[in-house]
Amino acid sequence: MEESSRRTFLKLAGFSALGLGAKPVLDAFASSGGVQSKPMVMKGEKALQAKRWALVIDTRKFKSEKDLEPMIEVCHKIHNVPKLENKRHEIKWLWTEEFKHIFSSQTHDFLDERVKDLPFLTLCNHCEKPACVRACPTKATFKRADGIVLMDFHRCIGCRFCMAACPYGSRSFNFRDPRPFIKETNLKFPTRMKGVVEKCNFCAERLAVGKIPACVEVSKGALAFGDLGDSKSKVRELLSSNFTIRRKPALGAGPSVFYIV
Amino acid sequence: MLEKALKGNKQYYGWIAALLVVIGVGFACYLWQFQFGLGITGMSRDVSWGFYIAQFTFLVGVAASAVMVVLPYYLHNYKAFGRITILGEFLAVASVTMCILFIFVDLGQPTRVFNVLLHPTPNSVLFWDMIVLNGYLFLNIIIGWNVLEAERNNVAPAAWLKPLIYLSIPWAVSIHTVTAFLYCGLPGRGFWLTAILAPRFLSSAFAAGPAFLILLCMLVRKLTKFDPGKEQIQSLAKVVAYAICINVFFFLCEVFVVFYSRIPEHMDHFIYLFAGLKGHSALVPWMWASMILMGISIILLVNPATRKNETTLVAACITVFIGTWIDKGLGMISGGFVPNPLHHVNEYVPTIPELAISIGVWATGFLVLTALFKIAVSIKEEVSGVS
């Protein structure tokens, strides 16, 4: 199931349901020529599409935590990410880590001064082979055809198997009702309830209406978002002209987030 | 046969009442957790599984160990175990009940639990774990109940039971193997990422389960007119002796691989558990206690004099049980989460309500165990005409 998209799944489910119950009715309509007989999930007219979305982070353009704050702030604001004081219950989609933590298997004692103290943006890697999707017992977390790994907050049973499976620590769990801890609720994006897992969604809701991810929008060009399947895309251009690294490459998960260090 | 569980002396009812009180306290705490969320536990973003999942893991082992009485009796025709197979099977039923309850209390959205059936997902090990655990529960209920009923009616067990009994043998191995696969297939968790995990789980299971069964047999002998038998207890003791030795051997194999290869992502968890990491060392005394207990139990069990002496055997069984419980029910799960994938050290300590819920689940298991053992022992007394 890992490779197939949610759309295919929904289509299949729709077809089976139609096949079982509604076929005679649909046939009747079809014969009168009134209704399209195949149900389809349509993309929005403006929706951005890709074979595989990817993010390239040019860390050379950052100096301190301050440069990264606007991105984290806008992400957490539009996605109704609560601010919990208790560190154990912390929810984060986009945050910063030092090199020795985010690239824990690639660090050493003699890093240059810039990299040693530089904060690195940390988020879900939207892996090519996501361990979280493999582990989820309900398909509440799934990979779309365009490579984005999403969460269905309404299906998640809160078993947290995905959190144990994720080798990047990208997932957060709602240990309590998050709503009282959201300063200003964005009504265009769902809030979550207690007991479900959440993480970065590559701004899937924005892509659907033709907008690039919010963090990229406010990054002043330090972040590039685009299609890995398109050789002319901005991300491919950056990848071919810069040396980039990914987190824990030895695991073979295939992150879609690249770092220019 | 259920009526047997309802007739008992004052002591029996006192014990049941005490269990119900503990269950009540646990249930009240669970309602609190249901209301507030899992935030009332000590779990965190970094240690996202804690005491509940650890108890589940340990108890899957106790459940699987029923095979250690079933296998010699049915496959090797070792008649002596015929007397106690029912006790092993009923212990398995009680243990699996606790396992399922521990998974349930660990869910963030328990009302959605049936999503696992609504959206079956064969690539998830949890899906298979659900199948093997429930299957094992039903196998043991059906087999145990029917064999006991046949014994009561003084007839041979129905022929259709045989295939189920044979099936229950590999099935017992499967429940603990699949449970180990929950952990050992995860790419970023060096502590669990080892093929020895399932064998380790099984060996500690075959030590802890039969050790507990020996203690239960002795208790049954003391409290009732049914004697599970000296030979039976001694045979079980040999099983425990082998299993605990193999368990420690497997553990040392892992220690060698981890520390000779010196790969930090595998080593750091052991360092955290046995020496402490970056000033965090809550589990260090526990882990060493576990090692010492297992060491003492090996001495007591391998030495024929202390194994044959029932007083020292009791001590050995208690040390085996506590030693393996610390190893699996305390260190195994949180040890895998510390340090986290980003190499931060955030420790886990269970909270009081979390412990109360856990003890409540244990008490529920003991209630099931008490009722089932009461039935089994009453039938045994009835058949042998001592009641």
Side-chain angles (χ1 to χ4, degrees):
Chain A
M1 243 358 248
E2 183 176 316
E3 297 299 331
S4 76
S5 75
R6 176 159 179 77
R7 217 145 51 84
T8 325
F9 174 74
L10 285 172
K11 266 197 225 161
L12 278 175
F15 280 136
S16 354
L18 280 173
L20 286 175
K23 193 160 184 305
V25 185
L26 268 181
D27 284 348
F29 273 112
S31 58
S32 66
V35 181
Q36 201 182 1
S37 62
K38 275 187 183 173
M40 278 178 62
V41 182
M42 308 285 282
K43 286 255 185 204
E45 268 172 40
K46 289 189 211 155
L48 300 179
Q49 298 183 38
K51 283 210 184 84
R52 185 179 162 200
W53 289 114
L55 181 71
V56 177
I57 301 173
D58 189 347
T59 64
R60 295 170 305 188
K61 296 193 171 148
F62 300 123
K63 293 221 155 49
S64 69
E65 198 84 32
K66 231 178 164 180
D67 302 328
L68 300 162
E69 266 165 19
M71 291 165 242
I72 296 169
E73 204 169 298
V74 70
C75 167
H76 286 184
K77 199 174 160 202
I78 65 166
H79 294 122
N80 296 319
V81 175
K83 186 140 190 68
L84 290 143
E85 290 308 319
N86 187 339
K87 215 176 162 290
R88 286 192 293 122
H89 303 163
E90 197 180 17
I91 310 251
K92 46 191 182 187
W93 287 28
L94 184 63
W95 72 101
T96 62
E97 292 282 351
E98 288 175 61
F99 187 90
K100 64 176 178 192
H101 290 298
I102 185 170
F103 294 109
S104 55
S105 51
Q106 282 136 286
T107 189
H108 58 80
D109 292 340
F110 310 102
L111 287 173
D112 69 83
E113 289 300 318
R114 183 184 68 88
V115 169
K116 203 178 79 185
D117 303 317
L118 189 68
F120 284 75
L121 276 181
T122 313
L123 69 159
C124 168
N125 278 303
H126 297 275
C127 300
E128 205 180 343
K129 293 174 187 148
C132 55
V133 172
R134 208 150 53 229
C136 178
T138 61
K139 303 186 193 83
T141 193
F142 55 94
K143 196 181 120 187
R144 289 203 315 197
D146 62 1
I148 298 183
V149 177
L150 282 185
M151 272 298 303
D152 183 340
F153 305 125
H154 298 95
R155 187 184 282 190
C156 175
I157 60 171
C159 71
R160 309 186 298 294
F161 200 4
C162 57
M163 296 178 79
C166 177
Y168 302 106
S170 297
R171 293 176 161 263
S172 305
F173 178 73
N174 287 282
F175 280 97
R176 57 185 302 181
D177 181 12
R179 284 160 191 153
F181 302 93
I182 303 169
K183 233 189 242 160
E184 220 179 306
T185 307
N186 170 19
L187 296 174
K188 288 182 180 161
F189 195 82
T191 55
R192 272 73 69 195
M193 70 196 303
K194 65 171 182 254
V196 298
V197 171
E198 59 180 84
K199 63 168 197 74
C200 156
N201 65 350
F202 256 7
C203 281
E205 83 287 2
R206 287 171 59 93
L207 296 173
V209 295
K211 294 180 187 166
I212 58 166
C215 58
V216 181
E217 197 175 74
V218 303
S219 71
K220 294 179 191 158
L223 269 54
F225 189 76
D227 186 0
L228 276 186
D230 173 8
S231 58
K232 291 188 187 74
S233 69
K234 175 84 179 150
V235 289
R236 283 289 294 273
E237 191 189 305
L238 281 169
L239 290 173
S240 60
S241 55
N242 292 281
F243 177 71
T244 47
I245 56 171
R246 294 191 290 179
R247 294 174 65 193
K248 303 193 178 180
L251 299 180
S256 300
V257 177
F258 298 79
Y259 296 82
I260 302 173
V261 185
Chain B
M1 294 191 289
L2 264 179
E3 77 280 0
K4 297 283 184 193
L6 300 173
K7 270 183 271 166
N9 56 17
K10 264 191 187 164
Q11 210 179 358
Y12 177 72
Y13 280 117
W15 169 243
I16 297 280
L19 286 175
L20 287 173
V21 170
V22 178
I23 293 169
V25 173
F27 187 70
C29 286
Y30 180 72
L31 289 178
W32 177 17
Q33 180 185 294
F34 187 77
Q35 182 69 26
F36 184 89
L38 282 162
I40 68 160
T41 71
M43 287 185 272
S44 63
R45 197 181 182 282
D46 281 347
V47 187
S48 46
W49 281 337
F51 211 68
Y52 300 148
I53 294 297
Q55 302 315 296
F56 150 78
T57 308
F58 178 75
L59 287 163
V60 172
V62 176
S65 71
V67 76
M68 285 291 119
V69 286
V70 172
L71 189 148
Y73 179 57
Y74 287 104
L75 291 191
H76 297 278
N77 202 20
Y78 179 58
K79 290 272 192 296
F81 273 177
R83 230 174 138 75
I84 56 166
T85 43
I86 188 68
L87 300 184
E89 284 157 353
F90 280 174
L91 174 59
V93 171
S95 303
V96 180
T97 307
M98 285 188 264
C99 292
I100 293 169
L101 283 172
F102 270 118
I103 292 267
F104 185 80
V105 299
D106 188 66
L107 292 179
Q109 278 294 330
T111 55
R112 295 182 189 164
V113 64
F114 287 111
N115 277 3
V116 179
L117 298 174
L118 273 173
H119 311 288
T121 312
N123 51 258
S124 173
V125 184
L126 210 55
F127 169 80
W128 294 105
D129 214 31
M130 172 204 68
I131 290 178
V132 292
L133 280 177
N134 283 294
Y136 194 64
L137 179 63
F138 288 118
L139 276 177
N140 277 290
I141 291 176
I142 292 167
I143 295 167
W145 197 263
N146 282 291
V147 171
L148 189 64
E149 198 154 49
E151 187 177 339
R152 185 189 203 183
N153 298 334
N154 215 358
V155 293
W160 57 267
L161 276 173
K162 263 284 156 71
L164 290 185
I165 290 166
Y166 291 142
L167 179 66
S168 78
I169 292 169
W171 203 289
V173 180
S174 85
I175 62 167
H176 219 18
T177 306
V178 174
T179 301
F181 285 1
L182 285 174
Y183 312 108
C184 68
L186 304 178
R189 310 281 177 182
F191 187 59
W192 302 325
L193 191 65
T194 165
I196 200 80
L197 202 70
R200 253 184 91 186
F201 273 21
L202 283 164
S203 58
S204 82
F206 295 155
F212 191 55
L213 196 55
I214 290 176
L215 297 173
L216 287 175
C217 284
M218 290 184 175
L219 205 63
V220 163
R221 182 162 65 190
K222 204 168 171 192
L223 296 176
T224 72
K225 294 185 189 99
F226 170 66
D227 182 2
K230 203 173 171 65
E231 185 193 339
Q232 284 79 352
I233 286 173
Q234 281 304 316
S235 297
L236 277 176
K238 280 177 205 147
V239 170
V240 180
Y242 275 108
I244 192 70
C245 290
I246 294 170
N247 184 47
V248 171
F249 170 67
F250 284 168
F251 171 75
L252 293 175
C253 287
E254 177 69 9
V255 168
F256 170 78
V257 170
V258 163
F259 284 95
Y260 196 81
S261 68
R262 304 205 78 76
I263 299 173
E265 273 158 32
H266 293 262
M267 206 164 51
D268 289 339
H269 301 280
F270 280 88
I271 295 174
Y272 164 67
L273 285 175
F274 287 93
L277 196 64
K278 294 183 188 170
H280 297 275
S281 55
L283 285 173
V284 173
W286 290 93
M287 295 315 289
W288 283 109
S290 165
M291 289 299 125
I292 292 166
L293 288 170
M294 286 198 249
I296 293 172
S297 70
I298 287 179
I299 297 169
L300 291 177
L301 286 164
V302 171
N303 186 343
T306 41
R307 187 178 65 243
K308 284 176 186 155
N309 178 329
E310 286 199 349
T311 315
T312 43
L313 180 61
V314 168
C317 288
I318 292 171
T319 51
V320 164
F321 194 77
I322 298 174
T324 50
W325 178 80
I326 295 171
D327 180 33
K328 245 157 130 183
L330 216 54
M332 184 58 71
I333 303 310
S334 55
F337 284 110
V338 185
N340 81 351
L342 289 141
H343 222 272
H344 290 296
V345 182
N346 288 311
E347 267 188 310
Y348 161 79
V349 180
T351 61
I352 298 210
E354 190 177 4
L355 291 176
I357 293 170
S358 302
I359 294 168
V361 174
W362 274 93
T364 312
F366 273 98
L367 184 67
V368 173
L369 185 72
T370 306
L372 291 176
F373 267 44
K374 176 73 172 51
I375 293 169
V377 168
S378 303
I379 301 286
K380 296 268 185 192
E381 287 174 340
E382 191 184 289
V383 171
S384 58
V386 287
S387 63

